[in-house]
Amino acid sequence: MQRRLETIDNVKVLMMLAVVLYHSCMFFTGSWFDGATPVYEASYLSIFARWLNTFHVQTFAMASGFLFYCLRTERGKYTNFGKDVLKRGKRLLLPYFCVMLTWVIPFYVRYSGFNLSKIVYKYVLGCAPSQLWFLPMLFLLFIIFYKILDEKYVSTKGMFAIAAVSIGGGYLLDKIGINVFQVSTAVKYAGYYYLGAYLYRKETDNTWIIPISAFGSIVCFVINNTIEVNTTASVVVRLVGLILGYMCSYMGVIFVYYTVKMITEKLINVKKSKLWSGLKKKSFGIYLFHQQIIYLTIIPLNGKVPPIVQVIISFLCAVGVASFITAVLKRFKLTRILYGV
């Protein structure tokens, strides 16, 4: 079990870095940052960002489901619903509100202006709370799957059923426009959470799963993007595109998990990197603070350096400065509790 937990820890760190890299590229989509518009066009970075967006946070959700199922079945945790929900709220929602009030909203006001109704909509109601959206979404998934993720309920049929409900329910909630506290997003990510439990219980040693999942994910990504840019596509074609988008994500998550599993097993006896160990300890803090640090790098770099250089500098600054902030917060008991670091 320890080897598998090591694998999932490595998955989480790698995907945290993927999230930072994704946000470092997002400026070049042209609609991500209110403080400036890109001087240079970089469509390749926009495409790369869209590709990362098919699996990076989805893999985080998978890792959470994996850990939940592992700790429940192997270590007997999660047996008291009320107590466990309070602990999970402290772990996810307390940092959400603390970072929102002291970090995210001040940056939003600085670059987008003060608009009380938008602040309430985005942050208080949790409909679009910048990078923090993952925290209330994960809290809802924890509640949803508390009773579902038992050993007898994890099966191939269950995987297909949850995926179907996730895709259909997420689509309907999106159309209705309900995403208070990320409820719509939680439904859309439910399949990935369940996939984590499924991978824990049904893990295979078939090495062909890595190239097959990689190839399938890329093919689905290409077809889905072709459909999305076709403004004249019929409803049926767009529905096919929606399903292919989810297939791309599921196969991408499977590819990441089994690739990291293979590497972890090959390096199990190799001396651990101090840098990687440090990133593991600070990964949650890096996630909490990185996006606004990227904002600070955009204006001085925009148009001054090539886009790819800007992305690299933004990425390194975000990881480095967020690591420093996390290290400072870890020094004091109160800030460790409030920010969950």
PDB file of all heavy atoms in Angstrom, residues 49-71:
ATOM      1  N   ALA A  49      -2.274  24.921 -23.438  1.00  0.00           N
ATOM      2  CA  ALA A  49      -3.052  25.144 -22.219  1.00  0.00           C
ATOM      3  C   ALA A  49      -4.359  24.346 -22.256  1.00  0.00           C
ATOM      4  O   ALA A  49      -4.764  23.751 -21.250  1.00  0.00           O
ATOM      5  CB  ALA A  49      -3.352  26.638 -22.047  1.00  0.00           C
ATOM      6  N   ARG A  50      -5.013  24.322 -23.428  1.00  0.00           N
ATOM      7  CA  ARG A  50      -6.249  23.551 -23.554  1.00  0.00           C
ATOM      8  C   ARG A  50      -5.984  22.055 -23.339  1.00  0.00           C
ATOM      9  O   ARG A  50      -6.801  21.360 -22.742  1.00  0.00           O
ATOM     10  CB  ARG A  50      -6.889  23.779 -24.935  1.00  0.00           C
ATOM     11  CG  ARG A  50      -7.534  25.133 -25.084  1.00  0.00           C
ATOM     12  CD  ARG A  50      -8.639  25.130 -26.130  1.00  0.00           C
ATOM     13  NE  ARG A  50      -8.154  24.715 -27.442  1.00  0.00           N
ATOM     14  CZ  ARG A  50      -7.637  25.536 -28.350  1.00  0.00           C
ATOM     15  NH1 ARG A  50      -7.518  26.825 -28.078  1.00  0.00           N
ATOM     16  NH2 ARG A  50      -7.241  25.080 -29.525  1.00  0.00           N
ATOM     17  N   TRP A  51      -4.849  21.586 -23.829  1.00  0.00           N
ATOM     18  CA  TRP A  51      -4.495  20.174 -23.641  1.00  0.00           C
ATOM     19  C   TRP A  51      -4.262  19.866 -22.160  1.00  0.00           C
ATOM     20  O   TRP A  51      -4.785  18.881 -21.631  1.00  0.00           O
ATOM     21  CB  TRP A  51      -3.250  19.834 -24.461  1.00  0.00           C
ATOM     22  CG  TRP A  51      -2.742  18.443 -24.210  1.00  0.00           C
ATOM     23  CD1 TRP A  51      -3.335  17.274 -24.589  1.00  0.00           C
ATOM     24  CD2 TRP A  51      -1.549  18.079 -23.495  1.00  0.00           C
ATOM     25  NE1 TRP A  51      -2.579  16.194 -24.161  1.00  0.00           N
ATOM     26  CE2 TRP A  51      -1.480  16.657 -23.494  1.00  0.00           C
ATOM     27  CE3 TRP A  51      -0.539  18.802 -22.883  1.00  0.00           C
ATOM     28  CZ2 TRP A  51      -0.443  15.955 -22.894  1.00  0.00           C
ATOM     29  CZ3 TRP A  51       0.511  18.105 -22.291  1.00  0.00           C
ATOM     30  CH2 TRP A  51       0.539  16.715 -22.289  1.00  0.00           C
ATOM     31  N   LEU A  52      -3.499  20.724 -21.469  1.00  0.00           N
ATOM     32  CA  LEU A  52      -3.292  20.527 -20.029  1.00  0.00           C
ATOM     33  C   LEU A  52      -4.617  20.522 -19.282  1.00  0.00           C
ATOM     34  O   LEU A  52      -4.808  19.762 -18.330  1.00  0.00           O
ATOM     35  CB  LEU A  52      -2.389  21.629 -19.467  1.00  0.00           C
ATOM     36  CG  LEU A  52      -0.895  21.564 -19.760  1.00  0.00           C
ATOM     37  CD1 LEU A  52      -0.199  22.803 -19.206  1.00  0.00           C
ATOM     38  CD2 LEU A  52      -0.270  20.307 -19.160  1.00  0.00           C
ATOM     39  N   ASN A  53      -5.539  21.355 -19.744  1.00  0.00           N
ATOM     40  CA  ASN A  53      -6.828  21.489 -19.073  1.00  0.00           C
ATOM     41  C   ASN A  53      -7.709  20.247 -19.224  1.00  0.00           C
ATOM     42  O   ASN A  53      -8.735  20.133 -18.546  1.00  0.00           O
ATOM     43  CB  ASN A  53      -7.578  22.711 -19.624  1.00  0.00           C
ATOM     44  CG  ASN A  53      -8.697  23.155 -18.717  1.00  0.00           C
ATOM     45  OD1 ASN A  53      -8.578  23.132 -17.489  1.00  0.00           O
ATOM     46  ND2 ASN A  53      -9.814  23.536 -19.313  1.00  0.00           N
ATOM     47  N   THR A  54      -7.322  19.314 -20.073  1.00  0.00           N
ATOM     48  CA  THR A  54      -8.111  18.094 -20.232  1.00  0.00           C
ATOM     49  C   THR A  54      -7.830  17.068 -19.141  1.00  0.00           C
ATOM     50  O   THR A  54      -8.600  16.115 -18.987  1.00  0.00           O
ATOM     51  CB  THR A  54      -7.849  17.422 -21.601  1.00  0.00           C
ATOM     52  OG1 THR A  54      -6.474  17.004 -21.690  1.00  0.00           O
ATOM     53  CG2 THR A  54      -8.166  18.367 -22.739  1.00  0.00           C
ATOM     54  N   PHE A  55      -6.740  17.249 -18.387  1.00  0.00           N
ATOM     55  CA  PHE A  55      -6.418  16.196 -17.415  1.00  0.00           C
ATOM     56  C   PHE A  55      -5.800  16.662 -16.111  1.00  0.00           C
ATOM     57  O   PHE A  55      -5.757  15.898 -15.138  1.00  0.00           O
ATOM     58  CB  PHE A  55      -5.466  15.160 -18.050  1.00  0.00           C
ATOM     59  CG  PHE A  55      -4.100  15.698 -18.399  1.00  0.00           C
ATOM     60  CD1 PHE A  55      -3.079  15.746 -17.457  1.00  0.00           C
ATOM     61  CD2 PHE A  55      -3.832  16.146 -19.680  1.00  0.00           C
ATOM     62  CE1 PHE A  55      -1.827  16.237 -17.780  1.00  0.00           C
ATOM     63  CE2 PHE A  55      -2.576  16.633 -20.020  1.00  0.00           C
ATOM     64  CZ  PHE A  55      -1.577  16.679 -19.068  1.00  0.00           C
ATOM     65  N   HIS A  56      -5.297  17.911 -16.007  1.00  0.00           N
ATOM     66  CA  HIS A  56      -4.516  18.238 -14.810  1.00  0.00           C
ATOM     67  C   HIS A  56      -5.344  18.241 -13.520  1.00  0.00           C
ATOM     68  O   HIS A  56      -5.012  17.515 -12.577  1.00  0.00           O
ATOM     69  CB  HIS A  56      -3.737  19.542 -14.986  1.00  0.00           C
ATOM     70  CG  HIS A  56      -4.556  20.766 -15.229  1.00  0.00           C
ATOM     71  ND1 HIS A  56      -5.903  20.739 -15.512  1.00  0.00           N
ATOM     72  CD2 HIS A  56      -4.224  22.079 -15.215  1.00  0.00           C
ATOM     73  CE1 HIS A  56      -6.344  21.959 -15.666  1.00  0.00           C
ATOM     74  NE2 HIS A  56      -5.347  22.808 -15.496  1.00  0.00           N
ATOM     75  N   VAL A  57      -6.433  19.003 -13.476  1.00  0.00           N
ATOM     76  CA  VAL A  57      -7.246  19.039 -12.255  1.00  0.00           C
ATOM     77  C   VAL A  57      -8.090  17.775 -12.135  1.00  0.00           C
ATOM     78  O   VAL A  57      -8.377  17.309 -11.030  1.00  0.00           O
ATOM     79  CB  VAL A  57      -8.128  20.302 -12.223  1.00  0.00           C
ATOM     80  CG1 VAL A  57      -8.869  20.394 -10.896  1.00  0.00           C
ATOM     81  CG2 VAL A  57      -7.295  21.546 -12.435  1.00  0.00           C
ATOM     82  N   GLN A  58      -8.452  17.194 -13.268  1.00  0.00           N
ATOM     83  CA  GLN A  58      -9.176  15.924 -13.252  1.00  0.00           C
ATOM     84  C   GLN A  58      -8.352  14.844 -12.548  1.00  0.00           C
ATOM     85  O   GLN A  58      -8.905  14.012 -11.808  1.00  0.00           O
ATOM     86  CB  GLN A  58      -9.498  15.480 -14.690  1.00  0.00           C
ATOM     87  CG  GLN A  58     -10.468  16.383 -15.437  1.00  0.00           C
ATOM     88  CD  GLN A  58      -9.798  17.560 -16.129  1.00  0.00           C
ATOM     89  OE1 GLN A  58      -8.710  17.985 -15.752  1.00  0.00           O
ATOM     90  NE2 GLN A  58     -10.447  18.083 -17.147  1.00  0.00           N
ATOM     91  N   THR A  59      -7.045  14.871 -12.767  1.00  0.00           N
ATOM     92  CA  THR A  59      -6.165  13.895 -12.109  1.00  0.00           C
ATOM     93  C   THR A  59      -6.091  14.159 -10.618  1.00  0.00           C
ATOM     94  O   THR A  59      -5.993  13.225  -9.808  1.00  0.00           O
ATOM     95  CB  THR A  59      -4.755  13.932 -12.735  1.00  0.00           C
ATOM     96  OG1 THR A  59      -4.861  13.742 -14.154  1.00  0.00           O
ATOM     97  CG2 THR A  59      -3.876  12.832 -12.164  1.00  0.00           C
ATOM     98  N   PHE A  60      -6.139  15.423 -10.210  1.00  0.00           N
ATOM     99  CA  PHE A  60      -6.216  15.762  -8.785  1.00  0.00           C
ATOM    100  C   PHE A  60      -7.459  15.149  -8.154  1.00  0.00           C
ATOM    101  O   PHE A  60      -7.410  14.595  -7.048  1.00  0.00           O
ATOM    102  CB  PHE A  60      -6.284  17.283  -8.611  1.00  0.00           C
ATOM    103  CG  PHE A  60      -4.975  17.916  -8.216  1.00  0.00           C
ATOM    104  CD1 PHE A  60      -4.422  18.909  -9.002  1.00  0.00           C
ATOM    105  CD2 PHE A  60      -4.321  17.537  -7.066  1.00  0.00           C
ATOM    106  CE1 PHE A  60      -3.221  19.510  -8.644  1.00  0.00           C
ATOM    107  CE2 PHE A  60      -3.125  18.133  -6.694  1.00  0.00           C
ATOM    108  CZ  PHE A  60      -2.576  19.123  -7.484  1.00  0.00           C
ATOM    109  N   ALA A  61      -8.595  15.265  -8.849  1.00  0.00           N
ATOM    110  CA  ALA A  61      -9.842  14.687  -8.331  1.00  0.00           C
ATOM    111  C   ALA A  61      -9.715  13.172  -8.216  1.00  0.00           C
ATOM    112  O   ALA A  61     -10.170  12.565  -7.240  1.00  0.00           O
ATOM    113  CB  ALA A  61     -11.010  15.056  -9.240  1.00  0.00           C
ATOM    114  N   MET A  62      -9.103  12.545  -9.220  1.00  0.00           N
ATOM    115  CA  MET A  62      -8.864  11.099  -9.166  1.00  0.00           C
ATOM    116  C   MET A  62      -8.019  10.739  -7.956  1.00  0.00           C
ATOM    117  O   MET A  62      -8.320   9.783  -7.217  1.00  0.00           O
ATOM    118  CB  MET A  62      -8.169  10.642 -10.453  1.00  0.00           C
ATOM    119  CG  MET A  62      -7.840   9.148 -10.519  1.00  0.00           C
ATOM    120  SD  MET A  62      -6.324   8.645  -9.620  1.00  0.00           S
ATOM    121  CE  MET A  62      -5.049   9.483 -10.568  1.00  0.00           C
ATOM    122  N   ALA A  63      -6.953  11.513  -7.712  1.00  0.00           N
ATOM    123  CA  ALA A  63      -6.061  11.237  -6.586  1.00  0.00           C
ATOM    124  C   ALA A  63      -6.805  11.336  -5.255  1.00  0.00           C
ATOM    125  O   ALA A  63      -6.558  10.560  -4.326  1.00  0.00           O
ATOM    126  CB  ALA A  63      -4.876  12.204  -6.606  1.00  0.00           C
ATOM    127  N   SER A  64      -7.739  12.270  -5.157  1.00  0.00           N
ATOM    128  CA  SER A  64      -8.520  12.428  -3.927  1.00  0.00           C
ATOM    129  C   SER A  64      -9.420  11.218  -3.692  1.00  0.00           C
ATOM    130  O   SER A  64      -9.533  10.718  -2.569  1.00  0.00           O
ATOM    131  CB  SER A  64      -9.367  13.705  -4.003  1.00  0.00           C
ATOM    132  OG  SER A  64      -8.546  14.841  -4.104  1.00  0.00           O
ATOM    133  N   GLY A  65     -10.077  10.747  -4.753  1.00  0.00           N
ATOM    134  CA  GLY A  65     -10.899   9.546  -4.635  1.00  0.00           C
ATOM    135  C   GLY A  65     -10.065   8.317  -4.309  1.00  0.00           C
ATOM    136  O   GLY A  65     -10.486   7.453  -3.529  1.00  0.00           O
ATOM    137  N   PHE A  66      -8.893   8.235  -4.899  1.00  0.00           N
ATOM    138  CA  PHE A  66      -7.950   7.140  -4.645  1.00  0.00           C
ATOM    139  C   PHE A  66      -7.583   7.092  -3.160  1.00  0.00           C
ATOM    140  O   PHE A  66      -7.643   6.039  -2.514  1.00  0.00           O
ATOM    141  CB  PHE A  66      -6.696   7.367  -5.500  1.00  0.00           C
ATOM    142  CG  PHE A  66      -5.686   6.251  -5.483  1.00  0.00           C
ATOM    143  CD1 PHE A  66      -5.597   5.385  -6.561  1.00  0.00           C
ATOM    144  CD2 PHE A  66      -4.803   6.089  -4.429  1.00  0.00           C
ATOM    145  CE1 PHE A  66      -4.651   4.364  -6.579  1.00  0.00           C
ATOM    146  CE2 PHE A  66      -3.856   5.084  -4.427  1.00  0.00           C
ATOM    147  CZ  PHE A  66      -3.780   4.212  -5.505  1.00  0.00           C
ATOM    148  N   LEU A  67      -7.201   8.250  -2.613  1.00  0.00           N
ATOM    149  CA  LEU A  67      -6.788   8.321  -1.204  1.00  0.00           C
ATOM    150  C   LEU A  67      -7.964   8.025  -0.269  1.00  0.00           C
ATOM    151  O   LEU A  67      -7.803   7.323   0.737  1.00  0.00           O
ATOM    152  CB  LEU A  67      -6.218   9.701  -0.898  1.00  0.00           C
ATOM    153  CG  LEU A  67      -4.814   9.975  -1.433  1.00  0.00           C
ATOM    154  CD1 LEU A  67      -4.445  11.442  -1.254  1.00  0.00           C
ATOM    155  CD2 LEU A  67      -3.785   9.089  -0.734  1.00  0.00           C
ATOM    156  N   PHE A  68      -9.137   8.564  -0.600  1.00  0.00           N
ATOM    157  CA  PHE A  68     -10.312   8.314   0.233  1.00  0.00           C
ATOM    158  C   PHE A  68     -10.584   6.815   0.330  1.00  0.00           C
ATOM    159  O   PHE A  68     -10.770   6.271   1.415  1.00  0.00           O
ATOM    160  CB  PHE A  68     -11.530   9.035  -0.359  1.00  0.00           C
ATOM    161  CG  PHE A  68     -12.796   8.818   0.411  1.00  0.00           C
ATOM    162  CD1 PHE A  68     -13.168   9.690   1.421  1.00  0.00           C
ATOM    163  CD2 PHE A  68     -13.624   7.728   0.154  1.00  0.00           C
ATOM    164  CE1 PHE A  68     -14.332   9.491   2.154  1.00  0.00           C
ATOM    165  CE2 PHE A  68     -14.785   7.514   0.869  1.00  0.00           C
ATOM    166  CZ  PHE A  68     -15.146   8.401   1.876  1.00  0.00           C
ATOM    167  N   TYR A  69     -10.613   6.149  -0.803  1.00  0.00           N
ATOM    168  CA  TYR A  69     -10.926   4.719  -0.839  1.00  0.00           C
ATOM    169  C   TYR A  69      -9.837   3.903  -0.152  1.00  0.00           C
ATOM    170  O   TYR A  69     -10.127   2.961   0.598  1.00  0.00           O
ATOM    171  CB  TYR A  69     -11.088   4.275  -2.288  1.00  0.00           C
ATOM    172  CG  TYR A  69     -11.552   2.847  -2.430  1.00  0.00           C
ATOM    173  CD1 TYR A  69     -12.873   2.498  -2.173  1.00  0.00           C
ATOM    174  CD2 TYR A  69     -10.672   1.844  -2.833  1.00  0.00           C
ATOM    175  CE1 TYR A  69     -13.305   1.196  -2.305  1.00  0.00           C
ATOM    176  CE2 TYR A  69     -11.097   0.540  -2.974  1.00  0.00           C
ATOM    177  CZ  TYR A  69     -12.415   0.212  -2.706  1.00  0.00           C
ATOM    178  OH  TYR A  69     -12.837  -1.087  -2.831  1.00  0.00           O
ATOM    179  N   CYS A  70      -8.584   4.273  -0.375  1.00  0.00           N
ATOM    180  CA  CYS A  70      -7.463   3.572   0.252  1.00  0.00           C
ATOM    181  C   CYS A  70      -7.527   3.673   1.770  1.00  0.00           C
ATOM    182  O   CYS A  70      -7.430   2.664   2.481  1.00  0.00           O
ATOM    183  CB  CYS A  70      -6.150   4.143  -0.273  1.00  0.00           C
ATOM    184  SG  CYS A  70      -4.680   3.563   0.613  1.00  0.00           S
ATOM    185  N   LEU A  71      -7.695   4.888   2.272  1.00  0.00           N
ATOM    186  CA  LEU A  71      -7.687   5.094   3.725  1.00  0.00           C
ATOM    187  C   LEU A  71      -8.905   4.463   4.389  1.00  0.00           C
ATOM    188  O   LEU A  71      -8.833   3.997   5.521  1.00  0.00           O
ATOM    189  CB  LEU A  71      -7.628   6.589   4.029  1.00  0.00           C
ATOM    190  CG  LEU A  71      -6.334   7.293   3.591  1.00  0.00           C
ATOM    191  CD1 LEU A  71      -6.426   8.795   3.851  1.00  0.00           C
ATOM    192  CD2 LEU A  71      -5.126   6.706   4.308  1.00  0.00           C
TER     193      LEU A  71
END
